[in-house]
Amino acid sequence: MNKDASESLQKAKDDFVGQWGAMGSSWGINRTMAQIHALLLVSAEPLSTDQIMEDLRISRGNANTNLRDLVGWGLIHSVIRKGERKEFFAAEKDVWKIFCTIARERKRREVTPAMEVLQRCAAESKDDKSQEGRDFHRQMNDLLEFMRMGERVLDHIASSEESRVLKFAARFLS
Amino acid sequence: MNKDASESLQKAKDDFVGQWGAMGSSWGINRTMAQIHALLLVSAEPLSTDQIMEDLRISRGNANTNLRDLVGWGLIHSVIRKGERKEFFAAEKDVWKIFCTIARERKRREVTPAMEVLQRCAAESKDDKSQEGRDFHRQMNDLLEFMRMGERVLDHIASSEESRVLKFAARFLS
DNA sequence: TTTGAATTTCAGGATATTCTGAAATTCGTG
DNA sequence: CACGAATTTCAGAATATCCTGAAATTCAAA
């Protein structure tokens, strides 16, 4: 992963990349994507597609697809080096920024569509006066309201300074 | 799903169950499990395995496995009716409680193991004095610290009254 | 415009996950 | 006990997801 790293450091990095990749699955992220992200997270220098292929023993197609997806998420970006023809990739390393990016993207990809479903189901049952109907409508609205609140809080967190959020968290915990 | 529900209400419920199931995938939950949960969430009465099989058109084995998993998550519980031999299932419907349950379980199943990995990687690189080594160690610790903070906040949220949390959220948002 | 390195695409193969259905087991009841 | 309803288990089938490798495409440099 980096020729300068000592053997034991290299082992620790490989460990991280491997484990982080395995974790990806349970988070609904494919293994390769999580591994590439982990690899770039602990790489001192930007890496080329070929370096990533070699390091993780994966095909070019696989590397390319997942790199594009990671760029799409905003978790990595490409780096162009003077005089070099090929593209390199580097990960955002600031944990707070990573968190905000993931929160923003998961909201866009998963939370918003879910809320649209709830919205529609609530609307469809608005005029049903039976007990069943009222209960269902209530349940949809409860879920909706909860998610709206969560969304607002996350938006606010993601658009605040880390220090301000931490200060608030500290106050909350005390 | 319930013989009393009007046709349009029935359609809204089916819509919810179907869509919620599809959503499950992107949240790393299998479709059937999400569907069963959705079905029980909007069912006025507890349902038996056979009713669930019929409603969702799934096999007994599938129904049984996923019901057990949902019980394991604490999202549903079985209901024994006097004089009835078979088991019925009902979902917790309070949104706040559902949230706390999911937060607790995902923490146990996903966050804690991830933190153990980070902990180990940080330890393995503690004595490496190279720049590479220091950077890696720092990165592991940053991630770890961030997750610890998140964990503490979530724990605190999940063990507080909903009203207290909402009050704090309101203050944060203002 | 030509050349070839770099990147992208995607059909088909490889894996992983989920589901079925029936047999095995459990367990309340007579 | 013996019966049979209810539940559990699990091998194999069905499906969904991911990966490979090679051909097609893009694009900078000459």
Side-chain angles (χ1 to χ4, degrees), chain B residues 130-144:
Chain B
S130 67
Q131 187 60 42
E132 278 279 321
R134 286 161 172 286
D135 288 348
F136 177 72
H137 189 247
R138 158 78 69 96
Q139 185 73 50
M140 294 299 102
N141 273 329
D142 284 355
L143 278 167
L144 200 47

Side-chain angles (χ1 to χ4, degrees), chain A residues 157-174:
Chain A
I157 287 177
S159 64
S160 297
E161 284 296 316
E162 178 177 13
S163 59
R164 185 172 126 71
V165 175
L166 288 179
K167 234 170 64 189
F168 234 93
R171 182 124 61 90
F172 177 63
L173 287 173
S174 73

Side-chain angles (χ1 to χ4, degrees), chain B residues 34-45:
Chain B
Q35 281 182 340
I36 295 179
H37 185 226
L39 177 58
L40 292 173
L41 256 187
V42 297
S43 173
E45 300 294 324

